[in-house]
């Protein structure tokens, strides 16, 4: 009471109290206004975020629809112009689309030519040179991404035609990311394109309808990119006009999320303000993901309160008015925000309607229903499929309009929509393997269905949407590819892979209660003659005719296959070996009686057959095929045109198995580097050759148990299975490496020659001659130091090829030696035409010289022949000093054998050679 009385009587204290109340009320009002403004800002920022996000998502949907449109119809200038006009009318912030072609280097010239023929007279692929700031002809690269279609065609956009955008790092990253995720990518418009600044959405297009299932398949199937350009100013302009007090900035984060590109798009306003007015900044950040990019939206607004000093002075007199004013202002702001929010919701709903219009233009059938499964919408494709117009189908039950069949048994599905939704839940929204029976069509269509429920804003179901895609062509193509994968394209017979599957099935069914089965391996004996004489077209015709001949002689239950080349396989079901041999012989006789005619020529064809019984459930198809191959090989070795049944304990079978085992050991030795080289000296016997040092590289295999294998053991297997070429290349590579390493330890007064043996399979092979030339250059070796030994038999058998082979390498300086000379007694007539430098007398004559006058005479005659032709003579298999003296008396230039030197490993020979060189240099 005392305080109240004092307050009433003391005007100064009353004024101070009123002033304090006014200040407190002003502070409360300003704080409330601050909170209201912040809430309004957050509501506005939410609307801005939803609007911008919706525009970007809509653009992403639009480019996806464009890519689907391109897959089905292709995008050219006229079509793209119409599509763009529709997009621009609907979405003003989309101002251009472009189609880019994926061009590989080998296709570049044809691509440029084709574009010029299509009307682009000066068309060439260009790229932007950042350093020179100009467009120039694109440099050589593996691939290009070239703009081929661009609408609208305006001066500021026409620069993109023919431009390779793949040279831009940002575009490269976006394309590769789109390959990985099979999605849409988004980047900033590259700086060098002088068009409207903004964003570019891009999506890769691929060959065919099937989506690549891996990055490697994406790189193989990509055929281009569709780009959609977004005008940032038009995208932001509706929000700038509706929310002038908010500044916002859009930032694209880097593709690899390691850092930001700095790709920022900002929109702000100029706000008039007094310098002394205090301000508060509101900030809101929104992070969302669009087109495989993280997008950061930053919104800011400056809150500027009124001049507090003025309002405080007026608040003493108009406290109630000020409070009411503040309340009214706050209420007005709330109403404005609500109105704008409602307007935004309407805009979002309109966007959704426009999206449905866009969906109506795609090639898939789209059907929507209400919550009672009554049809509410059919797009044009759906109208064609169900045979009803949209208006006629409206309100009808979907079960009465769509007739679906199960593709497995072609039984009708009673409730298509319910079945579709149930299976869609199990299969992530996609239902496959269904048939759609369409009106007026005899055969149903194969379709894929995508089903989902539609829900309102409260989550209540309001209907369903079904998307139907006609995949009849894809299914037929898949069946065709499956057939091609299991059948030979030339003869129509099953191929090796399918045949091996049939053998595996036969193995499972063979047992005690069945006759078993029989496998026949058939090889034509005269096929190469037809190919070499009349060409491959005639050979293909022969294979087709023989396939029909053999097929007409077997049962429908039997399986005839082409295994490759001129080899066939036959699987006789429910047949034992006793009955199979007459069948095989009947086929052999049928081929024997068959005469192949081509270009007025007639050819007799023969066939060798290997037969093996399938009576062991524990056997494998590989073992059976190998056994049949062995039997067929024995049939060929027995004189061809023969049927041979496989017997595991047969001597020839054992020998062949040993060869097969050695073929595997040889491949292991090549792969695991078990081969190694040794050297053996060819000593000069005459003083005239004292300054010539000849070394021969010899080959050995060191097995895992430490044993050393000589060539005589493994060379027959290598020749049988075509491995000599790989062995020769290994020897050449490693011998040249040794020659290079010892070059610094050689004496300049001595002529060094290194001899390397070549097989008959390598002689005449142009790839081997080119390989030798390349290795000589690689190791920087003097060709005059290289002597290549070829056998007399190989030279005579492949005479013309050997002549060309020797001539090519002789021209660069390589020397040649004719090995085992005299063993064949057929080379004297050819010797004068061959560019050989050495003759190596066969060791069988040299070893018998001391006791056999005929051998001595042979050595003497060969030596005199060589002298007459100006060739050096080398005698091999020199085992004692007596032979050395006899050879020296005859005039043989060089001797090789255990008496001269045993084969020495490379490291010991290097040390010995280095010591000899040091000694010779010291003597000199």
């Amino acid at each position: 009471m005392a305080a109240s009385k004092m307050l009433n009587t003391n005007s100064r204290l009353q004024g101070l109290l009123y002033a304090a109340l006014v200040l407190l009320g002003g502070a409360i009002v300003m704080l409330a206004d601050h909170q209201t403004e912040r809430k309004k800002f957050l509501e506005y920022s939410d609307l801005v975020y939803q609007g911008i996000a919706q525009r970007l998502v809509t653009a992403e949907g639009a480019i996806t629809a464009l890519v689907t449109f391109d897959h089905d119809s292709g995008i050219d200038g006229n079509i793209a112009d119409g599509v763009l006009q529709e997009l621009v009318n609907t979405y003003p912030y989309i101002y251009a689309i472009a189609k880019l072609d994926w061009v590989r280097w080998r296709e570049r010239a044809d691509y440029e030519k084709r574009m010029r023929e299509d009307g682009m007279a000066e068309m060439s692929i260009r790229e932007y040179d950042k350093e020179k700031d100009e467009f120039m002809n694109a440099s050589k690269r593996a691939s290009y991404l070239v703009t081929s279609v661009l609408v609208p065609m305006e001066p500021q956009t026409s620069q993109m035609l023919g431009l390779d955008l793949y040279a831009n790092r940002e575009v490269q990253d976006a394309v590769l990311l789109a390959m990985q995720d099979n999605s849409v990518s988004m980047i900033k418009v590259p700086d060098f394109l002088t068009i409207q600044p903004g964003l570019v959405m891009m999506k890769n297009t691929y060959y065919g309808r099937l989506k690549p299932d891996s990055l490697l398949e994406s790189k193989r199937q990509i055929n281009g990119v569709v780009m959609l350009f977004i005008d940032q100013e038009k995208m932001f302009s509706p929000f700038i006009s509706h929310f002038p007090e908010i500044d916002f900035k859009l930032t694209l984060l880097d593709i690899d999320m390691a850092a930001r590109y700095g790709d920022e798009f900002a929109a702000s306003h100029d706000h008039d303000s007094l310098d002394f007015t205090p301000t508060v900044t509101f900030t809101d950040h929104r992070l969302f993901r669009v087109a495989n990019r993280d997008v950061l939206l930053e919104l800011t607004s400056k809150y500027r309160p009124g001049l507090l000093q003025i309002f405080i002075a007026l608040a003493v007199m108009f406290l109630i008015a000020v409070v009411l004013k503040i309340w009214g202002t706050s209420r007005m702001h709330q109403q404005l925000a609500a109105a704008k929010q409602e307007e935004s919701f309407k805009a979002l709903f309109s966007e959704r309607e426009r999206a449905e219009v866009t969906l109506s233009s795609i090639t898939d059938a789209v059907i929507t229903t209400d919550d009672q499964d009554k049809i509410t919408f059919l797009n044009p494709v759906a109208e064609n499929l169900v045979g009803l117009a949209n208006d006629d189908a409206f309100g009808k039950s979907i079960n009465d309009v769509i007739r679906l069949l199960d593709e497995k048994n072609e039984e009708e599905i009673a409730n298509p929509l319910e079945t579709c939704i149930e299976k869609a839940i199990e299969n992530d929204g996609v239902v496959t393997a269904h048939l759609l029976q369409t009106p007026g069509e005899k055969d149903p269509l194969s379709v894929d269905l995508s089903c989902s429920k539609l829900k309102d804003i409260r989550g209540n179901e309001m209907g369903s949407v079904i998307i139907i895609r006609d995949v009849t062509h894809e299914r037929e193509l898949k069946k065709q590819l499956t057939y091609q994968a299991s059948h030979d394209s030339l003869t129509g017979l099953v191929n090796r892979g399918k045949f091996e599957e049939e053998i595996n099935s036969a193995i499972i069914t063979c047992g005690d209660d069945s006759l078993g089965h029989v496998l026949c391996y058939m090889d034509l004996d005269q096929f190469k003659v037809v190919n070499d004489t009349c060409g491959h077209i005639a050979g293909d015709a022969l294979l087709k005719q023989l396939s029909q001949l053999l097929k007409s002689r077997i049962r429908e239950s039997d399986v005839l296959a082409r295994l490759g080349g001129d080899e066939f396989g036959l699987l006789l079901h429910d047949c034992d070996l006793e009955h199979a041999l007459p069948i095989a012989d009947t086929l052999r006789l049928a081929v024997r009686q068959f005469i192949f005619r081509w270009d007025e020529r007639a050819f007799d064809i023969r066939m060798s057959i290997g037969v093996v019984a399938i009576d062991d459930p524990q056997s494998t198809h590989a073992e059976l095929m190998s056994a049949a191959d062995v039997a067929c090989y024995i049939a060929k070795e027995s004189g061809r045109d023969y049927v041979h049944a496989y017997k595991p304990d047969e001597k020839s079978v054992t020998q062949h198995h040993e060869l097969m085992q050695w073929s595997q050991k040889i491949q292991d030795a090549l792969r695991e580097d078990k081969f190694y080289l040794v050297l053996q000296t060819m000593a000069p016997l005459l003083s005239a050759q004292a300054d010539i040092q000849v070394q021969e590289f010899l080959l050995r295999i060191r097995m895992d148990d430490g044993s050393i294998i000589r060539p005589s053991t493994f060379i027959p297997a290598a020749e049988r299975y075509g491995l000599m070429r790989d062995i020769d290349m290994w020897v050449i590579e490693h011998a040249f490496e040794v020659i290079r390493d010892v070059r610094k330890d050689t004496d300049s007064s001595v002529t060094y020659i290194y001899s390397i043996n070549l097989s008959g399979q390598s002689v005449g092979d142009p790839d081997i001659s080119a390989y030798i030339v390349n290795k000589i250059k690689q190791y920087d070796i003097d060709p005059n130091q290289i002597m290549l030994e070829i056998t007399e038999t190989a030279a005579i058998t492949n005479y013309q090829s050997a002549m060309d082979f020797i001539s090519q390498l002789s021209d660069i300086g390589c020397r040649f030696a004719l090995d085992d000379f005299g063993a064949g007694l057929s080379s004297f007539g050819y010797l004068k035409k061959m560019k050989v430098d050495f003759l190596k007398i066969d060791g069988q004559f040299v070893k018998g010289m001391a006791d056999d006058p005929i051998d001595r005479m042979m050595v003497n005659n060969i030596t005199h022949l060589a002298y007459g032709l100006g060739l050096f003579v080398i005698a091999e298999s020199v085992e004692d000093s007596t032979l050395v003296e006899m050879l020296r008396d005859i005039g043989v230039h060089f001797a090789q054998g255990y008496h001269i030197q045993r084969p020495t490993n490379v490291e010991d020979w290097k040390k010995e050679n280095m010591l000899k060189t040091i000694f010779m240099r010291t003597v000199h």
Side-chain angles (χ1 to χ4, degrees):
M1 293 295 294
S4 176
K5 184 177 180 180
M6 184 183 296
L7 184 62
N8 291 330
T9 57
N10 193 332
S11 58
R12 184 175 181 182
L13 182 60
Q14 189 179 44
L16 291 173
L17 179 59
Y18 287 165
L21 291 174
V22 170
L23 290 173
L24 179 61
I28 293 174
V29 169
M30 294 309 301
L31 180 60
D33 188 58
H34 174 274
Q35 293 299 323
T36 301
E37 290 293 328
R38 176 167 179 80
K39 179 179 178 182
K40 179 182 68 175
F41 164 75
L42 293 177
E43 291 175 347
Y44 290 176
S45 65
D46 188 55
L47 293 175
V48 171
Y49 157 71
Q50 293 180 24
I52 292 178
Q54 180 62 36
R55 278 165 167 73
L56 294 178
V57 170
T58 300
E60 182 178 6
I63 194 172
T64 302
L66 285 174
V67 170
T68 303
F69 182 81
D70 181 45
H71 272 301
D72 297 312
S73 305
I75 294 179
D76 58 27
N78 295 330
I79 296 175
D81 192 49
V83 172
L84 176 64
Q85 190 62 44
E86 182 178 352
L87 286 175
V88 170
N89 291 338
T90 307
Y91 311 108
Y93 50 88
I94 298 176
Y95 70 91
I97 58 173
K99 180 182 178 184
L100 291 79
D101 295 331
W102 186 268
V103 182
R104 294 169 175 81
W105 166 250
R106 63 178 181 273
E107 304 167 346
R108 174 175 175 174
D110 293 338
Y111 179 81
E112 292 178 338
K113 179 180 178 182
R114 186 168 64 252
M115 295 300 285
R116 295 189 189 105
E117 291 174 353
D118 291 343
M120 301 173 65
E122 300 298 325
M123 167 63 186
S124 64
I125 299 178
R126 300 172 294 119
E127 65 180 13
Y128 175 73
D129 190 327
K130 186 175 182 180
E131 295 181 359
K132 297 181 179 179
D133 191 24
E134 64 181 13
F135 294 97
M136 58 187 297
N137 195 35
S139 59
K140 180 178 179 181
R141 285 193 303 279
S143 302
Y144 307 90
L145 196 58
V146 185
T147 308
S148 62
V149 176
L150 180 67
V151 289
M153 182 66 69
E154 298 176 351
Q156 63 179 1
T157 60
S158 62
Q159 60 175 320
M160 286 182 60
L161 282 179
L163 186 61
D164 173 26
L165 295 185
Y166 201 61
N168 182 269
R169 182 63 181 180
E170 297 176 15
V171 175
Q172 286 186 30
D173 292 343
V175 171
L176 291 176
L177 185 62
M179 285 185 185
Q180 294 174 358
D181 299 333
N182 193 22
S183 61
V184 178
S185 293
M186 179 171 64
I187 60 172
K188 185 186 75 172
V189 174
D191 296 335
F192 61 87
L193 295 178
T194 58
I195 57 181
Q196 291 100 320
L199 301 173
V200 178
M201 284 192 179
M202 59 178 66
K203 184 172 179 63
N204 300 342
T205 61
Y206 302 93
Y207 291 106
R209 286 180 172 271
L210 300 179
K211 295 181 180 179
D213 54 2
S214 65
L215 179 59
L216 179 60
E217 286 298 319
S218 297
K219 291 183 178 179
R220 290 177 177 172
Q221 296 183 23
I222 186 170
N223 72 343
V225 170
V226 174
M227 284 188 171
L228 185 146
F229 293 84
I230 300 174
D231 188 336
Q232 69 179 55
E233 182 178 349
K234 290 185 179 179
M235 184 175 68
F236 291 147
S237 60
F239 307 104
I240 294 175
S241 60
H242 281 83
F243 310 108
E245 66 274 18
I246 297 179
D247 300 330
F248 41 91
K249 179 171 66 175
L250 197 68
T251 304
L252 300 183
L253 302 184
D254 196 359
I255 292 177
D256 60 7
M257 293 304 293
R260 294 184 179 180
Y261 265 126
D263 296 345
E264 298 179 348
F265 307 88
S268 61
H269 318 274
D270 294 326
H271 304 290
D272 296 329
S273 62
L274 299 175
D275 294 339
F276 57 87
T277 302
T279 61
V280 178
T281 301
F282 298 142
T283 304
D284 189 17
H285 295 85
R286 301 294 181 98
L287 182 64
F288 57 99
R289 189 168 184 83
V290 176
N292 223 10
R293 294 293 301 273
D294 286 333
V295 181
L296 178 65
L297 178 63
E298 182 179 356
L299 304 100
T300 59
S301 178
K302 292 185 178 181
Y303 167 63
R304 293 181 175 85
L307 299 176
L308 293 178
Q309 294 81 357
I310 298 174
F311 283 110
I312 291 172
L314 297 174
V316 175
M317 296 177 291
F318 305 104
L319 181 58
I320 297 177
V322 170
V323 172
L324 291 175
K325 178 65 175 178
I326 293 174
W327 181 85
T329 302
S330 177
R331 181 64 178 169
M332 181 185 65
H333 286 166
Q334 291 178 358
Q335 292 175 350
L336 179 62
K340 289 185 175 180
Q341 187 174 19
E342 184 179 357
E343 182 180 350
S344 298
F345 283 138
K346 290 181 180 179
L348 290 175
F349 183 79
S350 299
E351 294 283 358
R352 182 177 176 180
E353 289 296 316
R354 294 189 186 101
E356 289 184 359
V357 173
T358 303
L359 287 175
S360 67
S361 65
I362 65 176
T363 57
D364 295 338
V366 180
I367 303 175
T368 61
T369 67
D370 58 17
D371 57 352
Q372 300 297 320
D373 295 342
K374 305 293 184 180
I375 294 177
T376 59
F377 171 76
L378 298 178
N379 75 340
V381 179
E383 290 178 339
N384 292 332
L385 282 180
V386 302
L388 289 174
N390 184 40
D391 294 340
D392 296 335
F394 185 84
K396 291 186 177 182
S397 173
I398 191 169
N399 296 331
D400 298 334
V401 174
I402 293 182
R403 185 185 175 204
L404 282 183
L405 308 177
D406 192 315
E407 193 171 45
K408 295 181 180 178
N409 51 30
E410 296 194 9
E411 294 182 358
E412 185 170 356
I413 298 174
N415 298 305
L417 181 58
E418 294 179 6
T419 303
C420 174
I421 292 177
E422 289 176 1
K423 291 188 176 181
I425 295 174
E426 300 174 0
N427 299 283
D428 296 329
V430 178
V431 180
T432 60
H434 278 83
L435 300 177
L436 178 66
Q437 185 68 58
T438 57
E441 295 290 340
K442 181 179 180 181
D443 298 323
L445 301 176
S446 295
V447 295
D448 284 346
L449 297 93
S450 177
C451 309
S452 59
K453 287 288 186 180
L454 296 175
K455 296 183 179 181
D456 59 20
I457 194 171
R458 297 179 180 86
N460 300 321
E461 293 185 1
M462 53 183 290
S464 304
V465 60
I466 303 175
I467 299 176
I468 304 175
R469 171 169 292 181
D470 182 1
V471 294
T472 304
H473 178 71
E474 287 85 344
R475 298 276 171 83
E476 292 177 352
L477 180 61
K478 185 178 181 180
K479 292 179 181 178
Q480 182 180 355
L481 291 175
T482 302
Y483 178 84
Q484 292 175 351
S486 60
H487 287 74
D488 176 53
S489 60
L490 177 64
T491 63
L493 304 177
V494 299
N495 58 19
R496 177 181 285 270
K498 181 64 176 178
F499 190 63
E500 290 176 351
E501 293 179 7
E502 295 288 343
I503 295 174
N504 286 329
S505 300
I507 292 172
I508 296 173
T509 59
C510 76
D512 297 335
D513 298 333
S514 67
L515 290 174
H517 317 286
V518 172
L519 171 63
C520 300
Y521 196 102
M522 302 177 287
D523 193 337
L524 301 181
D525 296 327
Q526 307 298 326
F527 181 70
K528 189 174 186 301
V529 175
V530 176
N531 253 355
D532 294 344
T533 305
C534 301
H536 291 287
I537 297 178
D540 290 346
L542 171 60
L543 292 174
K544 291 180 181 178
Q545 294 179 26
L546 283 178
S547 297
Q548 295 302 316
L549 175 66
L550 295 174
K551 198 170 183 180
S552 67
R553 298 294 197 279
I554 62 175
R555 302 169 298 176
E556 290 186 3
S557 61
D558 299 329
V559 180
L560 179 64
R562 183 186 176 202
L563 304 179
D566 59 351
E567 298 173 343
F568 294 85
L570 174 62
L571 180 59
L572 299 174
H573 284 290
D574 299 320
C575 180
D576 57 19
L577 192 61
E578 181 181 356
H579 291 85
L581 289 174
I583 296 175
D585 200 55
T586 300
L587 296 176
R588 180 189 64 80
L589 290 174
V591 173
R592 182 186 181 90
Q593 295 168 2
F594 172 76
I595 298 177
F596 178 67
R597 302 184 185 279
W598 188 268
D599 287 344
E600 299 182 355
R601 294 184 181 181
F603 297 89
D604 292 327
I605 308 300
R606 301 290 183 267
M607 184 169 68
S608 298
I609 305 177
V611 181
V612 61
I614 304 177
D615 52 11
D616 182 8
Q618 303 302 318
S619 60
T620 66
H621 77 269
E623 294 171 348
L624 293 171
M625 288 288 286
S626 175
D629 183 30
V630 170
C632 185
Y633 177 75
I634 295 172
K636 282 182 170 291
E637 292 293 311
S638 301
R640 302 178 185 272
D641 193 24
Y642 185 70
V643 176
H644 185 85
Y646 177 79
K647 300 175 183 177
D649 55 351
E650 190 175 7
K651 182 179 179 181
S652 56
V653 171
T654 303
Q655 292 174 347
H656 191 74
H657 275 302
E658 290 177 356
L659 288 178
M660 293 175 63
Q661 292 173 359
W662 266 113
S663 72
Q664 186 60 49
K665 292 178 182 179
I666 292 170
Q667 295 178 61
D668 292 341
L670 286 168
R671 186 168 50 253
E672 300 172 11
D673 206 24
K674 294 180 181 178
F675 282 112
Y676 72 97
L677 296 175
V678 296
L679 292 104
Q680 188 176 33
T681 299
M682 301 180 191
L685 301 180
L686 307 179
S687 58
Q689 285 78 44
D691 59 346
I692 300 177
Q693 181 176 318
V694 184
Q695 300 289 336
E696 180 178 3
F697 285 100
L698 303 176
L699 187 62
R700 302 286 188 268
I701 297 179
R702 181 178 288 106
M703 304 303 290
D704 293 335
D705 59 1
S707 59
I708 305 302
I709 308 300
R710 297 174 180 270
S712 59
T713 302
F714 61 81
I715 289 299
E719 292 176 338
R720 166 72 175 90
Y721 291 99
L723 299 173
M724 281 307 304
R725 185 174 179 274
D726 294 333
I727 293 175
D728 287 344
M729 294 173 68
W730 188 96
V731 172
I732 291 167
E733 172 87 25
H734 289 77
F736 283 10
E737 184 178 350
V738 173
I739 296 170
R740 180 198 61 190
D741 293 344
V742 301
R743 184 165 46 198
K744 63 180 181 300
D745 297 325
T746 56
D747 185 3
S748 58
S749 64
V750 177
T751 299
Y752 293 89
I753 300 177
Y754 301 94
S755 178
I756 300 173
N757 288 280
L758 289 181
S759 67
Q761 295 178 8
S762 296
V763 174
D765 188 340
D767 292 338
I768 293 294
S769 60
Y771 180 81
I772 293 173
V773 172
N774 290 335
K775 290 301 176 182
I776 288 174
K777 294 178 181 178
Q778 177 182 338
Y779 288 99
D780 192 22
I781 295 173
D782 182 2
N784 289 294
Q785 290 185 306
I786 305 302
M787 180 169 71
L788 302 172
E789 292 190 24
I790 61 176
T791 63
E792 176 190 11
T793 303
I796 299 305
T797 303
N798 306 290
Y799 178 69
Q800 189 56 50
S801 298
M803 289 286 290
D804 297 338
F805 184 84
I806 293 172
S807 177
Q808 181 180 359
L809 293 175
S810 295
D811 290 343
I812 67 171
C814 293
R815 308 171 193 265
F816 279 86
L818 202 57
D819 197 10
D820 297 335
F821 188 78
L825 293 177
S826 60
S827 57
F828 292 97
Y830 302 100
L831 187 59
K832 62 183 179 180
K833 299 179 182 179
M834 288 188 177
K835 294 181 180 181
V836 296
D837 306 278
F838 292 81
L839 293 182
K840 290 190 74 173
I841 303 174
D842 190 81
Q844 64 177 326
F845 301 119
V846 177
K847 288 188 289 186
M849 281 180 58
D851 302 318
D852 191 337
I854 294 179
D855 288 342
R856 187 162 55 252
M857 179 183 65
M858 286 293 297
V859 173
N860 184 68
N861 289 341
I862 292 173
T863 303
H864 281 80
L865 174 65
Y867 270 82
L869 295 173
L871 307 178
F872 290 104
V873 181
I874 303 171
E876 54 187 11
S877 301
V878 179
E879 309 297 340
D880 54 51
S881 58
T882 302
L883 291 177
V884 172
E885 294 304 323
M886 294 178 69
L887 292 170
R888 184 180 285 115
D889 292 341
I890 291 174
V892 174
H893 300 95
F894 297 92
Q896 180 183 10
Y898 278 15
H899 179 72
I900 304 300
Q901 184 195 41
R902 287 185 172 274
T904 306
N905 67 62
V906 173
E907 294 303 322
D908 292 342
W909 178 81
K910 286 181 179 180
K911 295 177 182 177
E912 181 182 347
N913 182 70
M914 182 177 65
L915 292 174
K916 285 182 180 179
T917 302
I918 294 174
F919 174 76
M920 293 299 295
R921 289 175 179 172
T922 304
V923 171
H924 289 323

